[in-house]
């Protein structure tokens, strides 16, 4: 039976824990960090600080604006060349390190395995690097004849005043292909998140809407799906069965031509809210495409998401097909995960990743009978935690003000609400459309939410809660495992995947089981520890 | 795989495609981890630090700790002094290191933050606890490469810590270069075996190959201590391995503390290891121990036994300059023919040394410093090879051109072993030979017609 007092005591336990964590910090730091941690209490509306600066000197998981722009959103577009204007490192580290899988379309163009950089040198810093950038763009064009090129600025070139946007435009005119630049210097904003925003703006301004060819049927764009380990392909497998047509993906296995006509789709579905809600909103305003938030991770989530899509299209045949698919696929997946569930039931997990994934994986752990005791994001904003209701009371601070905000208006020729205005309003009111409820609502009372978790806080969680598995990224993986706790990377899946969709859920169950229930952990303590077995026959 | 690469060699002056190097700070960060109880600190925006930590973690499969000044746009305009002060204060209170080793990034370099002054001020203001240290090096990535960063941080260890001494002690310094923890461990073992007392720095053994014990030590037991670094000024001599990674520190020690140095190649392969042994003999006046001689003998035995499988095989090698120089010599000693040799790190000395090594064997070899893998790939397309050696990024070329591939150097992101099994010394050479022979014979087996598929060799 549900007992309110339980919730209260659990919440006060976490409060104590949070206060204890912050003891190691200098007073000022502690005061700030306390705003980033809450013990979930489902009886209250809770507020958490997010998307503010990381404190200098704190070991953080966060990356930079450039990583969000080139690394996450633009880089996975298969058939474009992405040139990084800057010293070599920035380009090098974003080269094949996110496992965004992608295939060439019929034109055979695929540049994912390449890394392009202007590798600027000291004299470029002194005298400016625009000339070198122009030459580099021209060389890339001459060698590869791509249909489009993106150019990304890194910290030092922004500082010396190289204008990648202007140079790109100039070169676009000269070479006659679409070339556009991103001023996504790493120091902008406070995390990768700023880069996602800029990337969305750039794609929206320069690609979306270029090709008006419209396709028939139940057409959608998948937004915020980066095809790590082939996730998008598993989703598409199911969509194909249902007769849902994906016009374009932003941006895993993404294609320039497909993004150019993405504005013709009837619905946008958002997987990673943080990285791409901007795109959804702009397309809604300009072209009248409604958006829904879905979640493809986990069996139940996948089915729920399919039903959501069916509800949007409101077509009996589609709904029937989807129900059939759900029945088939669920049975198959449930059967496949059953043995894992048995071994994982009651175990605990903590998830610290990204700006959406720590939410996506809540349901799949429930599918496995596991409990998420702590979770948090690297670079989310408050709405990712608290839901979109709070957007209006998020204050824009100096760091966010520097990120370009596009003012979008309805396109008089092409704006077309995909459903009747009445239904549109009704679905919005019901929070079916244009809504995301955030992570906190998914979590149980007494669990912890920590934003921008620091190394110290992670170690405290390990020490006190000893979760059976911690999902995180590469920087934390081996640290966690040194504590004898298995870790699963949710940014790149440790060579595994896909984890999305039904088959993905089965892969995930297998992977979690193989980490949590592996016998290797049992060898950490030598057998003689505690009871030494020394048969000292030959001792002097 | 790499299907867009055209066969004709493309002329380029501005565009780097598929680099064979990366940026300075990652090398500085790695070197700093080789000091006991040291927390590396990246002075710049946090993205660089995130990338460097991720990349080192992928290579070593170990936790890699580092803090950052977390610059934002305002910092970029007004300078990073305030951020560094805050960082120093927080770091000492939270992580309690003995040493904080600061390196710059492109951003803080371009702004022109003066770290010496900032650190001195922090010290005067009492932000650095008694007995603890903040050291720094400048690592702008629009100069040199990750190897330069390693070299710069290693030199800073000398600049900050080495104490000149009139009376020299019975010890030497060994600067092992940008090599694996396994290599550093093996070098220490050889020194020990030769009865040489030495300060090896940096030393990442027992830091980046820490055992699994079920609890994490924020500062693992390894690393050169501050005391040992201080004593480098009273050593009789320094052996610097690899001019690119190690000479700068050796030179600094000579200038600062009058410690002469021998510059040798990284002891990879038989001849380079022989020369290392020779320098130790010169210092000690003793011949190598029987155990070392036996190892050498076993290596030569392996070479003579298997020479026919190596003979005349064409090889392409790329990687960090010190590594590639020694490796090229080793390949030649096995009768192989290195025909494409490339490093991403700039520096004239590289081409000179390689030309010297190859003058009788492959005078027409393509050799290049400051090259990239796109160019190497085009060379291989123009003149195919029997073997490719280099870091993980070579795997795409190997697959595209169907060439046997041995992973060697930094980084190796997709295999393990490098941090546990040395490539230096006679045993390291045996390990390398075994890897090369393995892929060559695997290829032979794979390509053999059924009736030519042999059980024995
Ligand atoms: S900005 Fe410079 S230091 Fe930072 S990752 Fe890029 S190249 Fe490296
Ligand atoms: S939250 Fe996840 S999917 Fe979204 S950008 Fe981050 S890592 Fe990618």
């Amino acid at each position: 039976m549900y007992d309110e007092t339980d919730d209260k005591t659990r919440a006060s336990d976490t409060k104590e824990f949070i206060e204890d964590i912050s003891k190691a910090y200098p007073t000022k730091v502690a005061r700030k960090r306390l705003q980033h941690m809450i013990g979930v209490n489902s009886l209250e509306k809770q507020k958490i600080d997010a998307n503010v600066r990381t404190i200098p000197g704190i070991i953080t998981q966060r990356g930079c604006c450039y990583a969000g722009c080139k690394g996450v959103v633009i880089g996975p577009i298969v058939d474009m060349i992405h040139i990084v204007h800057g010293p070599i490192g920035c380009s090098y580290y974003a080269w094949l390190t996110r496992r965004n899988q992608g295939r060439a379309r019929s034109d055979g163009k695929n540049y994912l395995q390449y890394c392009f950089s202007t590798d600027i040198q000291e004299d470029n810093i002194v005298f400016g690097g625009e000339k070198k950038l122009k030459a580099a763009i021209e060389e890339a064009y001459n060698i590869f004849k791509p249909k489009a090129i993106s150019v990304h600025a890194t910290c030092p070139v922004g500082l010396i005043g190289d204008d990648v946007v202007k140079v790109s435009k100039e070169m676009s005119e000269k070479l006659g292909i679409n070339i556009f630049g991103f001023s996504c210097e790493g120091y902008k904003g406070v995390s990768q998140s700023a880069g996602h925003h800029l990337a969305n703006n750039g794609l929206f301004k320069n690609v979306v809407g270029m090709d008006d060819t419209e396709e028939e049927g139940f057409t959608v764009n998948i937004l915020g799906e980066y095809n790590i380990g082939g996730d998008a392909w598993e989703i598409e497998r199911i969509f194909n069965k249902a007769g849902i047509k994906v016009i374009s993906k932003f941006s895993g296995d993404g294609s320039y031509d497909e993004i150019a006509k993405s504005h013709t789709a009837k619905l946008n579905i958002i997987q990673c809210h943080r990285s791409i809600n901007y795109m959804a909103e702009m397309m809604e305003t300009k072209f009248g495409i409604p958006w829904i938030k879905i979640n493809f991770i986990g069996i139940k989530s996948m089915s729920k998401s399919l039903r959501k899509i069916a509800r949007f299209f409101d077509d009996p045949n589609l709904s029937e097909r989807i129900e059939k698919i759900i029945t088939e696929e669920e049975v198959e997946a449930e059967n496949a995960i059953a043995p894992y569930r048995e071994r994982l039931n009651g175990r605990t997990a903590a998830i610290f990743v990204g700006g959406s994934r720590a939410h996506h994986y809540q349901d799949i752990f429930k599918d496995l009978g596991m409990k998420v005791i702590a979770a948090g994001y690297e670079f989310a904003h408050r709405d990712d935690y608290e839901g979109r209701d709070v957007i209006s009371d998020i204050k824009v601070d100096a760091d966010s003000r520097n990120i370009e905000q596009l003012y979008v208006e309805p396109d008089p020729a092409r704006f077309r609400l995909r459903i009747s205005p009445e239904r549109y309003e009704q679905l919005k009111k019901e929070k079916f459309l244009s809504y995301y409820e955030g992570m906190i609502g998914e979590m149980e009372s007494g669990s912890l939410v920590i934003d921008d978790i620091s190394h110290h806080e992670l170690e405290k969680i390990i020490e006190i809660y000893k979760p059976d598995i911690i999902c995180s990224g590469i920087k934390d993986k081996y640290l966690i495992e040194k504590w004898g706790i298995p870790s699963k990377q949710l940014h790149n899946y440790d060579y595994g995947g896909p984890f999305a969709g039904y088959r993905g859920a089965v892969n995930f169950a297998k992977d979690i089981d193989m980490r949590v229930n592996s016998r290797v952990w049992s060898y950490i303590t030598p057998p003689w520890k505690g009871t030494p077995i020394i048969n000292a026959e030959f001792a002097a | 795989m790499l299907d867009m690469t055209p066969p004709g060699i493309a002329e380029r002056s501005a565009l780097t495609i598929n680099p064979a190097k990366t940026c300075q700070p990652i090398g500085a960060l790695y070197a700093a981890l080789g000091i006991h109880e040291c927390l590396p600190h990246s002075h710049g925006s946090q993205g660089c630090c995130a990338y460097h930590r991720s990349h080192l973690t992928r290579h070593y499969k170990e936790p890699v700790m580092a803090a950052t000044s977390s610059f934002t746009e305002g910092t970029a305009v007004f300078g990073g002094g305030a951020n560094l002060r805050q960082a120093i204060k927080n770091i000492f209170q939270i992580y309690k290191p003995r040493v904080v080793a600061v390196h710059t990034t492109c951003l803080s370099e371009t702004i022109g933050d003066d770290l010496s002054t900032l650190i001195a001020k922090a010290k005067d203001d009492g932000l650095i606890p008694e007995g603890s240290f903040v050291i720094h090096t400048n690592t702008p990535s629009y100069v040199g490469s990750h190897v330069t960063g390693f070299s710069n941080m290693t030199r800073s260890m000398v600049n900050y810590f080495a104490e000149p001494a009139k009376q020299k002690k019975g010890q030497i310094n060994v600067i092992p270069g940008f090599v694996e923890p396994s290599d550093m461990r093996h070098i220490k073992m050889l020194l020990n075996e030769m009865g040489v007392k030495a300060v090896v720095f940096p030393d990442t053994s027992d830091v980046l190959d820490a055992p699994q014990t079920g609890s994490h030590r924020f500062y693992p037991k390894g690393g050169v201590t501050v005391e040992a670094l201080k004593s480098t000024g009273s050593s009789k001599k320094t052996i610097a391995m690899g001019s690119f990674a190690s000479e700068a520190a050796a030179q600094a020690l000579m200038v600062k503390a009058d410690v002469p140095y021998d510059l040798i190649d990284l002891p990879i392969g038989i001849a380079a290891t022989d020369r290392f042994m020779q320098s130790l003999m010169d210092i000690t006046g003793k011949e190598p121990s029987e155990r070392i001689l036996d190892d050498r003998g076993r290596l030569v035995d392996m070479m003579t036994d298997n020479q026919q499988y190596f003979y005349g095989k064409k090889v392409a090698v790329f990687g960090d300059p010190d590594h590639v120089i020694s490796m090229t010599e080793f390949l030649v000693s096995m009768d192989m023919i290195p025909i494409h040799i490339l490093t991403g790190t700039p520096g004239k000395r590289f081409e000179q040394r390689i030309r010297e090594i190859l003058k009788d064997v492959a005078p027409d070899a393509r050799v290049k410093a400051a090259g990239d893998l796109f160019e190497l790939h085009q060379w291989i397309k123009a003149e195919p090879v029997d073997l490719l050696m280099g870091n993980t990024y070579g795997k795409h070329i190997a697959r595209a051109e169907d060439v046997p591939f041995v992973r060697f150097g930094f980084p190796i992101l997709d295999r393990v072993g490098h941090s546990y099994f040395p490539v230096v010394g006679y045993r390291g050479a045996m390990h390398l030979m075994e890897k090369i022979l393995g892929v060559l014979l695997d290829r032979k087996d794979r390509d053999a017609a059924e009736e030519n598929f042999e059980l024995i060799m």
Side-chain angles (χ1 to χ4, degrees):
Chain A
M1 216 191 68
Y2 181 73
D3 184 351
E4 234 178 59
T5 47
D6 269 7
D7 275 8
K8 275 192 190 139
T9 37
R10 272 195 238 118
S12 77
D13 284 353
T14 51
K15 204 164 159 231
E16 219 172 90
F17 171 73
I18 288 169
E19 271 156 22
D20 186 46
I21 288 190
S22 57
K23 278 195 194 121
Y25 294 134
T27 329
K28 260 201 197 142
V29 176
R31 214 181 300 133
K32 282 190 193 157
R33 285 304 303 160
L34 282 170
Q35 309 301 312
H36 293 267
M37 303 183 236
I38 59 164
V40 174
N41 180 348
S42 57
L43 307 172
E44 285 171 18
K45 192 114 193 88
Q46 291 176 297
K47 182 176 176 277
I48 190 166
D49 231 356
N51 193 38
V52 299
R53 293 179 190 179
T54 300
I55 300 156
I58 299 285
I59 299 179
T60 167
Q61 300 176 326
R62 279 177 164 180
C64 65
C65 180
Y66 159 82
C69 181
K70 158 67 169 63
V72 175
V73 182
I74 306 296
I77 300 172
V78 176
D79 50 0
M80 281 178 71
I81 281 185
H82 310 294
I83 298 178
V84 178
H85 183 37
I88 199 66
C90 313
S91 189
Y92 172 89
Y93 301 115
W95 177 23
L96 296 174
T97 47
R98 261 181 60 89
R99 298 196 63 229
N100 310 104
Q101 301 182 358
R103 293 182 187 126
R105 308 301 197 266
S106 56
D107 61 6
K109 292 199 188 303
N110 182 347
Y111 302 100
L112 285 189
Q113 286 147 8
Y114 295 86
C115 165
F116 300 93
S117 169
T118 52
D119 183 16
I120 60 163
Q121 299 297 306
E122 196 152 27
D123 57 332
N124 305 124
I125 292 287
V126 178
F127 301 111
E130 290 190 358
K131 234 172 90 187
K132 189 169 194 190
L133 174 59
K134 281 181 201 170
I137 293 173
E138 193 147 359
E139 285 170 10
Y141 176 75
N142 290 337
I143 299 170
F144 298 99
K145 297 284 177 319
K147 58 184 92 169
I149 297 176
S150 74
V151 180
H152 303 258
T154 68
C155 291
V157 304
L159 209 64
I160 61 171
D162 279 6
D163 187 340
V164 300
V165 175
K166 193 191 74 199
V167 169
S168 302
K169 209 162 161 222
E170 239 179 86
M171 292 308 289
S172 179
E173 275 152 26
K174 181 169 179 194
L175 300 173
I177 60 164
N178 195 358
I179 302 174
F180 46 95
F182 293 91
S183 299
C184 56
E185 296 84 355
Y187 52 72
K188 289 202 168 147
V190 298
S191 69
Q192 296 90 311
S193 175
H196 302 152
H197 194 165
L198 290 176
N200 282 248
N201 289 351
L203 280 185
F204 191 74
K205 281 192 294 195
N206 296 293
V207 190
V208 173
M210 302 273 290
D211 175 359
D212 284 329
T213 321
E214 195 163 339
E215 291 188 40
E216 291 295 308
F218 308 108
T219 54
V220 302
N221 299 311
I222 308 180
L223 269 47
E225 169 47 59
Y226 299 102
N227 205 27
I228 309 294
D231 278 346
W233 292 327
E234 164 64 3
I235 298 163
E236 279 182 293
R237 177 185 72 83
I238 300 161
F239 279 21
N240 284 342
K241 268 171 90 170
I244 301 165
K245 197 178 267 169
V246 179
I247 300 293
S248 90
K249 285 161 287 183
F250 291 73
S251 52
D253 188 40
S255 133
Y256 176 80
D257 294 332
E258 292 163 12
I259 292 174
K261 56 182 184 186
S262 57
H263 64 296
T264 64
K266 298 198 175 69
L267 174 68
N268 276 331
I269 54 181
I270 298 193
Q271 169 78 346
C272 177
H273 174 259
R274 183 67 266 146
S275 61
I276 208 118
N277 65 64
Y278 317 95
M279 180 61 75
E281 285 177 60
M282 292 187 291
M283 285 209 218
E284 184 174 21
T285 311
K286 185 166 178 182
F287 303 105
I289 309 176
W291 65 268
I292 54 174
K293 171 78 179 82
I294 45 73
N295 178 12
F296 294 130
I297 306 293
I299 298 172
K300 302 267 160 40
S301 293
M302 186 70 208
S303 300
K304 212 160 54 177
S305 295
L306 287 172
R307 289 198 173 105
K308 253 180 134 172
I309 296 169
R311 176 163 180 217
F312 172 81
F313 284 112
D314 196 23
D315 175 280
N317 287 330
L318 178 67
S319 301
E320 195 185 308
R321 275 201 303 276
I322 282 180
E323 286 307 324
K324 208 173 138 240
I325 290 167
I326 289 175
T327 319
E328 271 169 33
E329 296 268 349
E330 273 199 359
V331 169
E332 207 181 303
E334 292 283 2
N335 285 342
I337 70 160
Y340 305 116
R341 191 188 157 99
E342 217 161 274
R343 286 200 291 268
L344 292 169
N345 200 16
R347 303 296 193 97
T348 58
I351 319 175
F352 293 99
V353 268
S356 274
R357 281 185 193 235
H359 187 186
H360 295 146
Y361 282 80
Q362 300 276 334
D363 284 347
I364 199 166
F365 278 113
K366 280 180 210 149
D367 286 348
L368 295 173
M370 293 175 70
K371 192 173 154 157
V372 178
I373 52 146
Y377 298 131
E378 239 174 276
F379 50 77
H381 300 197
R382 277 183 56 204
D383 46 315
D384 300 300
Y385 290 105
E386 300 173 51
R388 286 179 67 93
D389 291 335
V390 299
I391 288 184
S392 53
D393 49 80
I394 297 177
K395 280 197 227 55
V396 181
D397 60 17
D399 295 310
S400 311
R401 203 166 295 129
N402 293 330
I403 312 301
E404 172 198 37
Q405 180 83 40
L406 292 187
Y407 289 96
V408 179
E409 292 191 339
D411 181 324
R414 296 183 288 181
F415 182 91
R416 182 165 48 82
L417 212 48
R418 277 31 183 197
I419 49 179
S420 75
E422 299 75 40
R423 184 154 182 261
Y424 179 70
E425 285 313 318
Q426 178 57 31
L427 290 179
K428 265 195 148 166
K429 226 166 72 205
E430 283 176 32
K431 296 186 172 174
F432 176 82
L433 290 180
S434 322
Y435 192 72
Y436 175 42
E437 57 145 3
M439 181 177 76
I440 294 175
E442 285 272 330
M443 298 193 63
E444 278 180 39
S445 282
S447 54
L448 284 163
V449 175
I450 304 185
D451 173 64
D452 182 19
I453 193 168
S454 74
H455 162 268
H456 166 69
E457 293 153 13
L458 183 66
E459 289 219 326
K460 276 284 181 192
I461 286 189
I462 293 172
E463 201 185 304
I464 307 293
Y465 291 94
K466 298 187 180 58
D468 291 304
I469 192 160
I470 301 180
C471 298
S472 189
I474 187 70
K475 293 192 288 295
D476 298 322
K477 182 180 173 73
Y478 300 105
L479 163 87
I480 295 163
E481 298 198 340
K482 277 279 192 286
W483 286 104
I485 293 174
S487 170
K488 180 83 209 159
Q489 290 189 70
L490 285 193
H491 294 276
N492 83 356
Y493 305 172
D494 304 291
Y495 232 137
F499 291 157
Y502 298 108
R503 291 185 188 164
V506 179
N507 288 338
F508 188 73
K510 247 187 237 170
D511 272 25
I512 295 300
D513 176 59
M514 102 185 154
R515 296 303 284 151
V516 171
N517 290 314
S518 164
R519 49 173 66 80
V520 296
W521 308 106
S522 71
Y523 293 97
I524 293 175
T525 312
W528 54 85
K529 196 125 188 221
T531 48
I533 319 160
I534 299 176
N535 298 321
E537 243 178 74
F538 293 102
Chain B
M1 199 58 30
L2 296 171
D3 293 336
M4 305 287 108
T5 304
I9 291 175
E11 283 307 317
R12 284 174 292 138
S13 66
L15 183 66
T16 294
I17 312 172
N18 298 355
K21 64 166 178 181
T22 183
C23 63
Q24 285 211 39
I26 198 171
L29 206 171
Y30 177 57
L33 289 168
I35 303 175
H36 184 57
E37 290 186 335
C38 173
L39 185 67
H41 180 83
S42 165
H43 185 54
S45 30
Q46 67 212 6
C48 308
C49 187
Y51 275 138
H52 303 145
R53 287 180 62 207
S54 297
H55 216 69
L56 289 172
T57 304
R58 289 190 171 114
H59 176 87
Y60 294 104
K61 317 275 185 267
E62 286 288 314
V64 172
M65 291 300 161
T68 156
S69 292
S70 288
F71 279 27
T72 55
E73 193 146 15
T75 328
V77 177
F78 300 115
N83 286 45
L84 187 64
R85 286 174 70 82
Q86 256 191 70
I88 288 174
K89 191 164 172 257
N90 291 335
I91 286 170
F92 280 115
Q93 169 143 6
I94 302 166
Y95 308 109
K96 303 180 176 58
R98 180 89 195 276
V99 181
V100 175
V102 184
H103 57 262
T104 54
T105 66
C106 298
L107 179 57
S108 53
E109 277 296 320
T110 311
I111 297 170
D113 279 350
D114 177 359
L115 286 181
S116 306
T117 311
L118 289 172
I119 291 168
K121 179 105 193 350
K123 195 169 162 76
D124 288 347
D125 296 346
L127 296 183
I128 304 169
E130 205 51 52
S132 301
F133 305 87
V134 177
I135 69 172
H136 91 281
T137 195
N138 292 87
T139 45
S141 301
Y142 36 82
V143 179
S145 75
H146 58 292
V147 181
T148 322
F150 181 94
S151 160
N152 284 343
M153 183 51 88
T154 308
R155 183 179 51 197
S156 278
M157 293 175 197
V158 170
N159 288 343
Y160 271 94
F161 291 121
E163 290 173 351
K166 284 237 160 55
Q167 242 354 49
K168 299 295 180 197
K169 286 200 221 165
Q171 72 173 24
I172 64 164
N173 306 315
V174 174
I175 310 176
F178 200 151
V179 293
E180 295 291 318
S182 50
D183 296 321
M184 296 182 189
R185 186 186 301 288
H186 195 63
I187 287 166
K188 286 195 293 187
M189 197 279 282
L190 288 172
L191 291 164
N192 196 20
E193 188 71 33
M194 290 289 290
V196 179
K197 201 167 165 281
V199 178
V200 176
F201 74 96
D203 175 10
T204 57
S205 61
D206 285 321
V207 179
L208 286 165
D209 57 358
Q212 166 68 284
T213 59
S215 67
H216 173 240
R217 284 174 71 161
F218 193 86
Y219 301 109
K221 65 182 172 189
V224 62
T225 60
V226 168
E227 285 64 35
L229 281 173
K230 287 185 176 175
S231 80
T232 51
S234 49
S235 295
K236 279 207 173 73
K237 189 175 210 171
T238 301
I239 297 180
M241 298 179 167
S243 65
F244 284 83
S246 304
E247 189 169 11
Q251 219 160 31
L253 258 172
M254 190 174 73
V255 172
K256 187 174 182 187
D258 232 358
V259 183
Y261 70 91
D262 272 357
L263 175 64
I264 61 171
D265 290 323
L266 277 184
I268 293 173
I270 186 157
T273 305
D274 285 347
R275 293 196 293 274
F276 174 40
M277 285 301 137
Q278 184 63 54
S279 19
L280 294 182
M281 286 158 66
D282 295 346
I283 288 163
T284 57
K286 279 190 299 189
E287 285 215 10
S289 69
E290 193 177 325
R291 227 188 300 188
I292 294 179
L293 288 176
D294 284 351
D295 274 341
R296 187 182 189 281
R298 274 185 283 270
L299 168 63
V300 180
D301 191 49
M302 205 174 160
M303 289 170 74
T304 50
D305 287 348
N306 296 294
Q307 174 269 351
Q308 66 269 33
Y309 302 108
F310 297 110
Y311 185 87
K313 290 277 189 298
K314 288 183 181 170
V315 194
V317 198
F318 72 93
D320 296 344
D322 295 333
H323 280 85
V324 174
I325 288 169
S326 298
M327 192 67 224
T328 304
E329 189 187 32
F330 185 37
L331 292 169
V332 169
S333 71
M334 291 187 287
D335 289 335
M336 298 176 94
I337 311 175
I339 57 166
H340 308 312
I341 301 99
L342 182 138
T343 183
T345 300
K348 281 209 184 69
R349 204 190 127 87
F350 177 77
E351 293 179 28
Q352 283 163 6
R353 271 296 277 135
I354 299 283
R355 289 270 173 234
E356 243 168 64
I357 293 166
L358 292 182
K359 66 177 185 303
D360 301 325
V361 189
D364 302 328
R366 290 183 168 98
V367 184
K368 188 166 183 180
D372 62 27
L373 297 185
F374 183 76
E375 182 158 18
L376 180 72
H377 187 186
Q378 292 205 312
W379 291 352
I380 294 172
K381 274 180 186 293
E383 190 178 358
V385 289
D386 303 299
L387 173 71
L388 173 65
M389 294 187 78
N391 65 40
T392 284
Y393 290 92
K395 80 191 268 184
H396 292 87
I397 301 177
R399 178 164 161 144
E401 302 307 320
D402 195 17
V403 184
F405 177 45
V406 170
R407 285 167 182 76
F408 168 73
F410 177 86
I412 295 172
L413 309 170
D414 63 337
R415 293 293 187 273
V416 293
H418 45 277
S419 47
Y420 303 112
F421 310 118
V423 296
V424 298
Y426 301 120
R427 278 195 222 160
M430 290 171 77
H431 172 57
L432 276 170
M433 250 190 116
E434 183 256 348
K435 287 197 359 171
I436 297 171
L437 190 59
V439 298
L440 291 177
L441 292 183
D442 277 349
R443 163 47 63 86
K444 205 173 157 63
D445 284 344
R446 193 198 81 180
D447 292 348
E450 195 104 323
E451 61 277 21
N452 298 333
F453 186 68
E454 308 283 358
L455 179 74
I456 51 170
M457 67 186 239

